[in-house]
Structures are given as C-alpha cells and as structure tokens.
Amino acid sequence: MNRLLPCMLACMLCLPFPMQAAPPTLAWDSLPEHPRLFANAARWDVLRKQVATDEVSRQLFAVVRDTATRVLDEPPVAYVDKGAFWHGPMRQAQGRILSLAMMFRLTGEVRFLTRAKLEMKTMAELPNWYPQHFLDTAEGALGMAVGLDWLHDALTAEERAQFANAIIEKALRASLLVGEEKTWVAGSNNWTAVCHGGLVIGALAVAEREPALARQIVERALEHMPRYAALYAPAGAYSEGPDYWAYGTTFYALMREALRTTFSATCDLERAPGFLQTADYTLQMTAPSGRLFNFADNGSGIGLEPIMFWFARELRRADLIQRDLAQIKSLAEAVASGTSRDDRSRMMALALIWREPSPVSAPTMPRPLTWWSEGGSQPQAVLRSAWNDPRATFIGIKAGRANDSHAHMDIGSFILEADGVRWAVDLGRESYPHARGHGIPNTELFNTAQDSRRWTIFRCGPESHNLLRFDAALPDVNATATIRPAPGGDGAPGFLVDLTPVHAAQVRKASRHFALRADRSVVITDEWTTGARATEVSWQWLTEAAVTRERDGFTLKQSGQSLRLRVESPERFTFAVEDVSAARQPFDSPNQDLTRLSLRLQTPADTAARILVIAEPGSLSTPATPPPREP
C-alpha cells in the first residue's frame, strides 16, 4: 500500500472505529507556527495566568519548577546500557527536557533554556538512539520534539537544524528500516502506541523541513493504529494490565493531541471502541489498599498518571483525578518543605497543560461493585464489597491466555484483599535486567510459546499463581479461558471462569467460580471432570501472611488482621504449607515472606469432583458500619 495517502483514506482504513460522514483531511500545506505540540502560543498565555489563579495548577507548576531547578547543576544524562538498554536514560532526558522547556516558556528564565539546550545537544550528538530497542528511540523522539517545538523561537537557526536533523535521522529515517511483520510497526501492544506515538510527534515537529517524510510517518501510524486500539474494545479493559495501560494509553493520547493541536483534526483516534471508557480501567483495577490488581508483568504500585488529566478534561469528570490530586498536593507540600521525592512523573508538565480548572461534572451513576471485561485476549473481572473503604473485600480475577504480550501462566488466578490486607498475592514481573543477567536471553524472556524458557521463571510460570492445576502440567498457551457473570447460589454477585480450553489435555471440563457474599466473605468453587485417566489436582494460594494449618483449612494472620480459609468438600485432600520465599534458580528473584498453601487430590478417571473454599475475614465477628458508596 502507498503510505502517502490522505488522512481521509487512512481513517477509512480504521475499520474498528465509528466513522463520521466526512473524515477530516490533514492540512499539510498550512502548518501552524511553533509551538504547536499540545499547546499553541495562546494556550501558553492562558497557562501563565492559570498557575496564579488555580490551586491545582499552582501545585503542578511548583513541582515541575522544582524538577527543572534540581537539574540545573547536574550533568547531562549518561547514555549507558545497564541491562535495560537506553530506556531509562532516554526517559530521564525526556522528563528533563519537558520540565526545563515548560519552565522557560512560563517564566522566561534563561537558565532553564540554557540547561534544556545542553540536554538536547547531548542527545543530538549521540551516534544513534538505540534503534535495536525502538522504545528508547521513540522516547527520545518525544523529548527532542517537544524541546524543539516549545523552545523554537529561543533557539538559533543552527540549534534548530541540529535538533531537527537528530529527529529526522536517528528516529524517523531509522524507523523506516524496521519491517512491518512481527514488530511494533504492525503490532498490537504498548510498543505499537509508544513507537508510533513518539515518531508522529517527532514528525510534526519537523514537518516543514521534511514534509514528505513527516507525512509518511504519520500516515503509516494511522494505518496501523486500529490494530493497537482494538485492545480497548469493547469496554475499556487492557489486556497487558494496568502498568502497560498507562504507558500505551499515554502515547496513544499524545499522538491524538499532537494531531489535534497541529491540524485541528484527530482522525477519530479517540473514537476507537472502548477508548474513552478506559478512563475507568485503573480505578477498577485499584484494590481498597490502593494497590493494583497486578496480573502478568504488572507491578502493584500506582503513581501519578498525567494521562488522567487528559481523560478528566475530555470527559468532564473530576472524579477521575481525585487520587492524582491528592498525590500532587503531597508532592507540592514536599517541595515547599524542601523535601526531595522521586515519585513524580517525567510527564508532569503535560498534566499542567491538560489541567482544566473550570467545573467538571461527576458521574451520573454510582460506580458498580462488580465489573468485568468479556472481550480481548485477557478477560478480567472485579468484585468488591464497597468503594471508599480501605477494609472492603476485593477480588480481582483473571482469565485469558498465556501466549500474549507480557502474559504469565496465570489463567484463572486471582488476588484477594480484606480488612486492609492483601491475603492472596501476585508477584508481578521478574526484573528484566536480572533475568537477562542470569541466563535468560531477551529472545526467551518475552517468548510466550509453549516450550519457552520464560515459563521456567518462578514469577512467570504457574508455580507462583493462585491456580487450579492438573498433573502439574503447563496450560495450553494458545487456548483462552473465558469469564462471565454468574451469581452464587444465594444470589451473591459472582463470576465463572471456564478453564476447559486451557486444560483440555488433562481433563474434560474445569471451571472456577467466585462469589462475594453480603457478609464480605468469598466463596471459591472449583469443579472438574476427568477423562480416561486419573488426574492429580492441586489448588494453590500464595500469601505473605503467617499461616497456621487447621483441621479444615488454614488461618492467615498479617498486620494484626486474620483470614480463615475453610475447605468444604466431600473429597479427601492433602494439605500443605510451603515456604517459597527463596530464589529457586539464578534468574529468579527472592520473594520475601512468601508462602504457598496447597490442596492436593487424586481424582479417578471419568469422575466429577470439586473443591469449595470459603475465605472469611476476621472482622466478620465485629461488623463495621457500612461505608458510603462511591458517588
């Protein structure tokens, strides 16, 4: 296909997107003056006034200014591969450039301009931007493009040429050497959004110098974006999980915003099915403790996400940024007291640009206590007893398949919180640099085929997840487990995971059912039917709590709280409590205080059997006053 097509055709190729009668074309022949990325001159004038009149904008300004000021006396970023390529250095440089360039535009202080140019010149003089790991290149393109655009009028002609040529040669032309098949170019994960997003922003920054090249980069991105955008369908969940949601979604929105502020057209990127609904995704994935439901390669921590300010502005929803506002206030207070903190986002400057001080509306309906996503490669579901209660019961459930980006063998796994404690845990990702440095090459680390060495890593394979397993076999990585709403016998809200496709080589049927009772206890019912041979069944629960073996189950204790796991089943099980905190192999990290509980059972051939476990929070003996529901 000729990529030099008008935007109208590129948008028409976006088949999953709803179409307007006449899609807009991009006005390549009438590019606006710089600055044009994310904010034009008029918006910058508004921001100068806004930081004086809006308290949140003032706090954001204080944090960004502090970030920029701390950089002034530091040397430029050193581009050294410490086992993670140049990803860290490129992101660090990007954050510095955004902060320094914003402070120069808002304050006019030349010291910020001088320091930003030093960072940009250091990056421009590199021989390349590590294209063999193209995420690094894309991050560099975003940083350099924003610096060139926001500082454009204060740069000399020679500096503009140097920075533009670096974008052109080290990012745009370098990207054309990457084949489309089995790469980020035509992919469907966060790499696709990040790489195309960074390149589009770079192309728009230099479009007047290389119009044909810039147009080629933009139209190639628009051709391939629908495949990535399908991740959000149908209702906003994200198959790679909440960590990677923030990364991919931010760059997808940045691409849209760069097109909008340059051409006053977005090619309907925001109209991809589920995309605007994804604003609620991380809120649903956040447990009462404030930690994420961290399946697959995700961590459980959550930081400030500037992209939420974009969603709040677009959807007119103040509720989306309540958590972020609290973090910004805390950061601003730390700045005022002279306390150094490292938990600020490198893209904090964008949060200020997207901050909308005018009144915005709250959702018209309460947030649901049950949530699920039936589409995509990784169906997910959540049950919670209440919003805004740190002691509420919460269950995050995962179905899906293992042969997917950043996936683990965690099909049918879950996490459970109650009384402020995470009783059933997921470890998240193994450190990529650690695994690489101890014998797992990159080709295997991200290989999700059935026989990949990835599955020998404790945190990636089935050994470390809260699963139902058969003959200790690996699940079929190409099969997909589904999930659907299924109330419990007493009408309690619940979900059923059909594991049959994933374990078809071991059993005829297998399923897991989760129900959350009105008293905040959880019932987990696992059922299976064996085939022509006997099968060993094992049931796993990973916890960081202290465990006591009871006659009919286990008692868990942690942080002054307790959880009782009571087994109700006619079958005769073998109970086990195993310390799995030590690293099993050189490429595994240790997992402090980690214990694995297990139930094991031999099921004869052609037999139906089940395990029923009731998780009862210790606080059930002293019920608390029900908290108010989320408005």
Side-chain angles (χ1 to χ4, degrees):
M1 170 181 283
N2 179 2
R3 294 196 183 101
L4 300 181
L5 297 174
C7 178
M8 180 182 295
L9 179 55
C11 286
M12 290 175 68
L13 290 171
C14 300
L15 296 179
F17 292 22
M19 291 300 303
Q20 296 176 345
T25 57
L26 299 182
W28 290 99
D29 295 332
S30 55
L31 292 167
E33 297 295 321
H34 295 278
R36 58 177 174 241
L37 293 178
F38 316 125
N40 58 17
R43 176 60 179 152
W44 284 108
D45 289 340
V46 169
L47 278 176
R48 292 187 192 94
K49 301 172 184 176
Q50 185 173 308
V51 297
T53 58
D54 174 56
E55 178 62 15
V56 174
S57 299
R58 184 195 65 77
Q59 293 169 351
L60 283 164
F61 174 85
V63 175
V64 177
R65 183 184 180 93
D66 182 68
T67 300
T69 302
R70 290 177 183 275
V71 170
L72 292 175
D73 296 325
E74 294 185 7
V77 169
Y79 295 89
V80 178
D81 182 355
K82 295 182 178 180
F85 315 111
W86 283 359
H87 201 206
M90 281 294 183
R91 287 155 69 102
Q92 184 183 11
Q94 177 198 104
R96 288 182 172 188
I97 293 168
L98 264 65
S99 298
L100 291 161
M102 169 167 273
M103 283 303 102
F104 174 69
R105 286 212 67 95
L106 292 180
T107 70
E109 295 181 35
V110 176
R111 58 181 183 153
F112 294 120
L113 170 66
T114 301
R115 185 61 185 81
K117 291 196 295 185
L118 175 61
E119 203 69 59
M120 294 168 69
K121 287 179 179 178
T122 301
M123 186 189 294
E125 290 169 0
L126 293 170
N128 60 64
W129 288 351
Y130 219 110
Q132 59 268 45
H133 191 250
F134 212 87
L135 283 180
D136 310 8
T137 309
E139 297 269 18
L142 170 60
M144 186 68 83
V146 171
L148 173 60
D149 181 68
W150 290 3
L151 302 175
H152 191 272
D153 294 344
L155 302 175
T156 66
E158 291 77 11
E159 288 167 339
R160 293 175 194 163
Q162 180 186 22
F163 301 151
N165 287 339
I167 295 170
I168 291 165
E169 298 302 328
K170 295 177 175 63
L172 307 188
R173 295 196 193 282
S175 77
L176 299 180
L177 301 178
V178 180
E180 292 190 4
E181 295 301 319
K182 297 182 180 180
T183 69
W184 56 264
V185 177
S188 58
N189 58 38
N190 69 89
W191 277 62
T192 302
V194 172
C195 294
H196 282 302
L199 290 169
V200 165
I201 293 161
L204 296 179
V206 300
E208 61 268 55
R209 293 176 179 267
E210 288 281 353
L213 176 61
R215 188 167 179 171
Q216 182 180 6
I217 294 296
V218 170
E219 290 175 350
R220 178 182 62 170
L222 291 172
E223 176 186 342
H224 292 293
M225 271 305 100
R227 191 175 292 105
Y228 166 79
L231 288 176
Y232 300 105
Y238 198 77
S239 64
E240 293 180 286
D243 267 7
Y244 296 95
W245 173 90
Y247 195 25
T249 302
T250 296
F251 274 80
Y252 185 83
L254 285 173
M255 184 191 312
R256 186 262 191 190
E257 282 300 289
L259 291 169
R260 183 185 67 81
T261 57
T262 301
F263 298 113
S264 298
T266 66
C267 285
D268 289 339
L269 292 180
E270 73 282 1
R271 297 183 68 199
F275 177 67
L276 292 179
Q277 291 168 276
T278 203
D280 286 293
Y281 177 62
T282 56
L283 299 181
Q284 289 291 351
M285 290 287 103
T286 303
S289 66
R291 298 166 64 191
L292 292 170
F293 169 26
N294 59 314
F295 65 84
D297 267 353
N298 293 269
S300 62
I302 185 166
L304 176 68
E305 294 296 351
I307 187 59
M308 296 305 290
F309 283 82
W310 183 86
F311 279 113
R313 186 195 72 183
E314 290 296 302
L315 299 175
R316 309 288 296 170
R317 284 183 54 189
D319 66 297
L320 293 175
I321 55 173
Q322 293 309 303
R323 176 172 56 196
D324 300 279
L325 292 179
Q327 293 188 53
I328 289 166
K329 181 180 179 182
S330 178
L331 285 169
E333 289 172 348
V335 167
S337 66
T339 305
S340 177
R341 283 176 50 175
D342 296 327
D343 57 341
R344 57 191 76 183
S345 168
R346 73 187 189 282
M347 293 186 177
M348 188 79 79
L350 295 172
L352 179 52
I353 285 179
W354 293 331
R355 166 62 179 166
E356 175 54 69
S358 62
V360 293
S361 61
T364 57
M365 298 291 290
R367 288 203 190 103
L369 298 176
T370 62
W371 173 93
W372 72 299
S373 169
E374 76 277 22
S377 59
Q378 304 294 351
Q380 304 152 47
V382 164
L383 294 163
R384 70 177 79 222
S385 62
W387 288 93
N388 297 334
D389 179 6
R391 296 175 63 83
T393 298
F394 175 97
I395 312 102
I397 308 160
K398 161 106 176 18
R401 67 170 185 256
N403 189 4
D404 203 24
S405 176
H406 290 287
H408 286 189
M409 285 186 166
D410 57 3
I411 315 308
S413 189
F414 63 95
I415 63 103
L416 186 147
E417 286 190 5
D419 293 341
V421 175
R422 182 160 295 192
W423 300 105
V425 304
D426 192 299
L427 301 173
R429 77 171 69 92
E430 177 58 80
S431 165
Y432 303 153
H434 178 82
R436 292 186 192 105
H438 291 81
I440 304 290
N442 214 48
T443 53
E444 289 296 291
L445 183 56
F446 296 105
N447 178 4
T448 55
Q450 191 74 49
D451 59 353
S452 173
R453 288 186 66 196
R454 176 178 176 84
W455 311 128
T456 66
I457 300 172
F458 181 68
R459 296 188 184 184
C460 297
E463 297 290 326
S464 67
H465 296 100
N466 305 309
L467 298 176
L468 184 66
R469 302 180 63 191
F470 302 95
D471 290 331
L474 299 182
D476 182 347
V477 300
N478 296 308
T480 301
T482 59
I483 190 168
R484 62 176 176 82
D490 56 358
F495 290 99
L496 181 73
V497 179
D498 183 3
L499 297 172
T500 304
V502 177
H503 296 290
Q506 291 81 43
V507 291
R508 287 178 182 161
K509 291 177 62 178
S511 66
R512 310 201 83 176
H513 184 266
F514 300 84
L516 175 58
R517 291 174 168 173
D519 66 356
R520 295 183 290 116
S521 64
V522 177
V523 181
I524 304 171
T525 306
D526 294 321
E527 298 181 302
W528 63 95
T529 301
T530 55
R533 57 184 175 81
T535 303
E536 181 183 65
V537 180
S538 58
W539 182 99
Q540 297 179 174
W541 177 299
L542 282 292
T543 186
E544 294 167 347
V547 180
T548 301
R549 167 77 169 87
E550 307 287 356
R551 181 184 60 81
D552 60 348
F554 308 91
T555 295
L556 282 56
K557 292 186 177 181
Q558 187 174 344
S559 302
Q561 305 297 325
S562 66
L563 183 79
R564 183 84 163 85
L565 298 181
R566 185 160 49 87
V567 180
E568 291 188 357
S569 179
E571 317 297 344
R572 296 178 63 87
F573 299 100
T574 300
F575 291 71
V577 179
E578 181 183 3
D579 182 348
V580 289
S581 58
R584 295 188 162 199
Q585 301 176 87
F587 45 73
D588 287 325
S589 296
N591 303 292
Q592 186 175 2
D593 299 325
L594 188 68
T595 298
R596 183 170 62 194
L597 315 180
S598 64
L599 307 174
R600 293 188 176 89
L601 170 72
Q602 285 286 341
T603 306
D606 300 311
T607 300
R610 73 170 187 165
I611 299 175
L612 188 150
V613 177
I614 302 174
E616 299 172 325
S619 62
L620 295 189
S621 59
T622 55
T625 301
R629 289 185 62 174
E630 179 76 9

